[in-house]
């Protein structure tokens, strides 16, 4: 049972796996696609590969020209997406000028060479990592090529409670869950103002009570705009409804009216017991 | 195990192993070439395992692997470790990050009451300890983590825990659940 | 399976089979008499299963049974492959090869900022974990790979990852690789 890298596992097809698609040949040959690239360094690496020489020997001047040419024809969907590519373009143009122009000061020329060498090293490093990613992708993978035990089953008796197992990743994930849940918990907030007072509701009911004999729906005692507010789901409507109900309960206690509700959540009816136009 | 094992038997073995409950003959047959003598292969597989620590058992029309009955005592004796519950893990994380902290503060952070056993469990593991009392009405007990906690979670010091900002930077605080797959070209 | 199987091997078999995740050597050792040669028993057990439909694999310090990779097609009828983005795979490779490493260092290597979801995805898979902090200004969090990463990519240990030379030999670093031996311009 060896898990060491088998060369057969990472066939040459892997090399295509890591490369972004070549610049798409669209209708307009002067526009190239930037979508396939993971940032300017990735684009630069793809262009460098086209030179087909060791990355540490690559011509940085030629590479800079290729890159600048590519960027000139590129179409960017978003400006902030373009920015990082343009920063690289500016830097390459600067580097190129450093390499091309005879330097007044010999240390300046050396600086240019150093910058070029550093870029070559960076590209070589990224190249290795992209190859490593491709090699990883080609490995047999849990859940894709092989599978874990479907269910942990031991014969009875079940293990007695013992020490518990936990690890740091679990702890961090748990804390992240707490913070997330906390951020999502909305404190109860109420719209300011617009609250109906019970006193007003009592006064309103006293005014209209007894206009009609017999049982009447509680709804008749609501202010005119309440139904519209309720339909819109506004808290003000519910407040008026609640205030009106509380007012009828208060008035029932005073013996001014009687209330009737046949079943839970059923309609509520009001009946005047005596004329209550004038306050007691 | 001796000699080459027929493909059908290897496949049955893998199917039964990866299943999360006993698998019916009908289901097993679906994965095998038509005309395979399923009964014969299962009988051979059961014989392969007769003396092993795992056994192939039939229950009605279904088959599954189970541990050998004679090992039950040895398996139970030292008790496999249990996984820490989510509530306990969250509580431990809150104590680690916010210590010293009172029980009420933990409950406030989690938005739910602590069940009785949670702190007891963490205390029994030696991961938390009391850290005096808060000088507020009721003088509630304060909790903190122990050196044993650091050892158990391979931390050198508390400050090695990633900060909330680190978690945020790593995308761990994004409100939606972690995606199983990332869209191509996400950067 | 041939001949009597030693008790220790049967017990290991049952323990690993009954576990819901890889079991560490430390945990396995607890169940066996002192002085048992655990490595030898595990090696023998792995050999027993070498040709079977189930295999015993090591990932770092832990062991687990998994199905044999060559049976993937027959087993995977229902399991859809989760495709990982290039960004995620490159980030994972960089962490595996350069651990412990900070987020900024990963971004520097790739020459592009990490999108929020990338580390989150790798963390949610259990493939990466924090490894303390770098003692530099800002004390950035360090990331590394886990044993679960090794298991998921069928690696026994980190040193099984191919070296740059291996990658060249496998053709993954063509065509600019090895200029000493290959004339420039060769495909």
């Amino acid at each position: 049972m060896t898990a060491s890298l088998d060369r057969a596992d990472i066939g040459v097809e892997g090399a295509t796996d890591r490369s972004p698609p070549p610049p798409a040949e669209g209708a307009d040959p002067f526009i190239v696609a930037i979508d396939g690239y993971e940032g300017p360094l990735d684009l630069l690496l793809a262009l460098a590969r086209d030179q087909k020489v060791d990355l540490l020997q690559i011509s940085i001047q030629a590479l800079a020209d290729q890159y600048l040419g590519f960027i000139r024809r590129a179409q960017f969907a978003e400006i902030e997406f373009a920015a990082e590519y343009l920063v690289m373009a500016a830097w390459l143009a600067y580097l190129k000028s450093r390499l091309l122009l005879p330097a007044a000061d010999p240390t300046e020329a050396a600086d240019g060479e150093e910058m070029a060498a550093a870029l070559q090293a960076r590209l070589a490093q990224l190249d290795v990592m992209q190859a490593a990613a491709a090699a990883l992708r080609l490995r047999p993978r849990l859940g894709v090529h092989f599978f874990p035990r479907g269910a942990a089953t031991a014969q009875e008796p079940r293990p007695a409670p013992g020490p518990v197992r936990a690890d740091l990743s679990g702890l961090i994930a748990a804390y992240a869950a707490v913070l997330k849940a906390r951020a999502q918990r909305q404190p109860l907030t109420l719209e300011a103002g617009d609250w109906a007072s019970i006193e007003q509701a009592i006064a309103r009911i006293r005014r209209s009570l007894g206009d009609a004999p017999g049982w009447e729906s509680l709804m008749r005692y609501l202010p005119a705009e309440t139904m519209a507010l309720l339909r819109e789901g506004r808290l003000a409507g519910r407040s008026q409804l609640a205030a009106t109900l509380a007012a009828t309960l208060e008035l029932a206690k005073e013996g001014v009216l009687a209330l009737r509700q046949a079943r839970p959540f059923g309609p509520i009816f009001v009946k005047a017991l005596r004329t209550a136009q004038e306050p007691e | 195990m001796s000699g080459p094992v027929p493909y059908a038997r290897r496949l049955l073995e893998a199917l039964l192993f990866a299943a999360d409950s006993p698998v019916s003959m009908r289901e097993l047959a679906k994965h095998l070439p038509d005309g395979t003598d399923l009964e014969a292969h299962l009988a051979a597989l059961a014989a392969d395992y007769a003396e092993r620590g795992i056994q192939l058992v039939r229950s009605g029309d279904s088959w599954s692997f189970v541990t050998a009955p004679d090992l039950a005592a040895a398996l139970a004796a030292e008790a496999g470790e249990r996984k820490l519950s989510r509530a306990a893990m969250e509580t431990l994380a809150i104590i680690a990050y916010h210590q010293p902290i009172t029980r009420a503060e933990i409950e406030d952070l989690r938005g739910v009451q602590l069940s009785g056993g949670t702190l007891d469990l963490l205390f029994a593991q030696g991961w938390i300890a009391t850290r005096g009392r808060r000088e507020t009405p009721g003088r509630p007990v304060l909790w903190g983590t122990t050196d044993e906690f650091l050892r158990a979670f391979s931390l050198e010091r508390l400050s090695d825990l990633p900060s909330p900002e680190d978690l945020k930077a790593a995308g761990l605080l994004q409100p939606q659940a972690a995606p199983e797959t990332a869209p191509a070209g996400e950067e």
Side-chain angles (χ1 to χ4, degrees), chain A, chain B:
Chain A
M1 182 137 334
T2 172
S4 65
L5 181 76
D6 184 340
R7 256 187 229 164
D9 281 351
I10 51 173
V12 197
E13 65 190 66
T16 57
D17 184 59
R18 73 199 161 111
S19 311
E25 310 216 351
D28 185 345
F30 295 105
I31 290 178
V32 292
I34 204 91
D35 311 351
Y37 298 96
E38 297 269 333
L41 205 59
D42 184 47
L43 168 59
L44 207 51
L45 180 56
L47 295 171
R49 287 200 189 103
D50 290 346
Q51 292 195 17
K52 294 189 169 45
V53 292
D54 189 287
L55 288 175
L56 298 175
Q57 325 250 321
I58 205 158
S59 159
I60 290 294
Q61 288 175 29
L63 185 58
D65 286 339
Q66 271 180 285
Y67 185 91
L68 295 171
F70 190 99
I71 293 300
R72 217 169 284 132
R73 290 178 288 132
Q75 205 175 34
F76 293 101
E78 292 161 48
I79 192 70
E80 64 262 42
F81 184 57
E84 49 188 13
Y85 286 89
L86 296 177
V87 167
M88 175 66 92
W91 186 80
L92 283 172
Y94 170 72
L95 176 57
K96 198 183 135 194
S97 71
R98 268 295 183 80
L99 293 169
L100 278 180
L101 298 176
D105 178 352
T107 59
E108 261 188 31
D111 278 355
E113 299 295 330
E114 253 174 50
M115 284 160 66
L119 178 59
Q120 283 165 342
R122 259 190 104 188
L123 288 174
Q125 198 176 23
L126 179 60
D127 192 41
V128 171
M129 284 303 107
Q130 291 193 350
L136 267 188
R137 207 188 267 285
L138 291 168
R139 296 200 64 82
R141 189 140 68 82
L142 183 70
V144 180
H145 302 106
F146 59 98
F147 301 89
R149 176 89 179 102
T153 44
Q155 290 274 43
E156 295 297 319
R158 294 295 301 165
V164 294
R165 168 164 46 86
D167 63 12
L168 184 58
S169 290
L171 183 78
I172 292 167
Y175 190 59
V178 169
L179 293 182
K180 259 195 279 193
R182 192 147 186 265
Q184 283 170 353
R185 267 202 316 266
Q186 298 288 340
L188 177 65
T189 52
L190 297 173
E191 338 169 2
D194 248 11
W195 300 121
S197 85
I198 299 176
E199 288 70 26
Q200 284 170 349
I202 290 176
R204 189 176 62 245
I205 294 168
R206 282 189 194 281
R207 277 198 302 276
S208 52
L209 198 60
D211 286 358
W215 293 100
E216 283 184 297
S217 169
L218 174 72
M219 296 304 188
R220 200 180 88 72
Y221 294 94
L222 291 172
E225 71 278 13
T226 305
M227 293 316 291
L229 288 171
L230 283 173
R231 269 193 300 275
E232 290 166 26
R234 298 275 300 283
L235 272 181
R238 287 159 69 178
S239 168
Q240 285 171 358
L241 185 58
T244 305
L245 176 64
T248 56
L249 291 173
E250 190 60 37
L251 290 171
K253 204 168 82 183
E254 289 177 17
V256 176
L257 52 75
L259 287 166
R260 193 174 75 180
Q261 185 177 30
R263 56 191 154 79
F265 304 108
I268 297 169
F269 293 94
V270 179
K271 184 178 158 186
L273 290 183
R274 54 179 158 85
T275 310
Q277 301 292 355
E278 68 290 344
E280 293 152 66
Chain B
M1 314 187 182
S2 57
V5 188
Y7 172 79
R9 218 190 292 171
R10 295 182 68 235
L11 184 54
L12 283 174
E13 203 169 42
L15 278 168
L16 290 164
F17 170 82
D20 51 16
S21 53
V23 189
S24 70
M25 305 269 280
R26 210 164 57 87
E27 184 62 32
L28 289 172
K30 276 194 218 157
H31 290 263
L32 290 167
D34 287 347
T36 308
D37 187 345
L38 194 56
E39 292 271 7
H41 279 295
L42 285 165
L45 197 56
D48 282 350
Y49 281 90
E51 305 299 323
R52 310 286 313 194
I54 314 169
Q55 320 234 292
L56 183 61
V57 296
R58 176 180 200 149
S59 35
D61 189 41
S62 296
W63 293 78
S64 59
F65 279 117
V66 295
T67 56
D70 64 301
L71 297 173
L75 287 176
E78 268 147 90
E81 298 178 333
R82 284 172 303 150
K83 218 169 156 177
L84 199 60
S85 74
R86 207 184 124 185
M89 201 63 154
E90 288 187 7
T91 303
L92 181 60
I94 289 171
I95 295 172
Y97 276 89
H98 295 268
Q99 60 191 302
I101 188 171
T102 67
R103 181 198 180 96
E105 288 162 348
I106 297 168
E107 292 177 338
D108 188 48
L109 269 161
R110 285 194 65 226
V112 287
Q113 290 220 317
L114 273 180
S115 79
T118 307
L119 288 178
D120 289 346
L121 173 74
L122 297 174
F123 183 77
Q125 295 292 321
W127 292 340
I128 63 170
T130 57
R131 292 260 176 285
R133 292 171 178 278
R134 174 148 293 156
E135 294 304 332
T136 53
R139 300 188 70 238
V141 168
L142 290 163
W143 293 94
T145 55
T146 61
D147 285 351
E148 182 55 34
F149 161 77
L150 293 178
R151 261 195 300 283
F153 289 82
S154 31
L155 292 162
E156 273 184 39
R157 50 183 101 71
L158 276 174
S159 61
D160 283 346
L161 284 170
S163 67
E165 292 71 41
D166 294 328
L167 298 177
K168 194 172 175 202
L172 296 181
L173 299 184
Q174 285 172 352
Q176 73 283 21
E180 291 288 35
T181 52
E186 69 186 31
E187 306 266 75

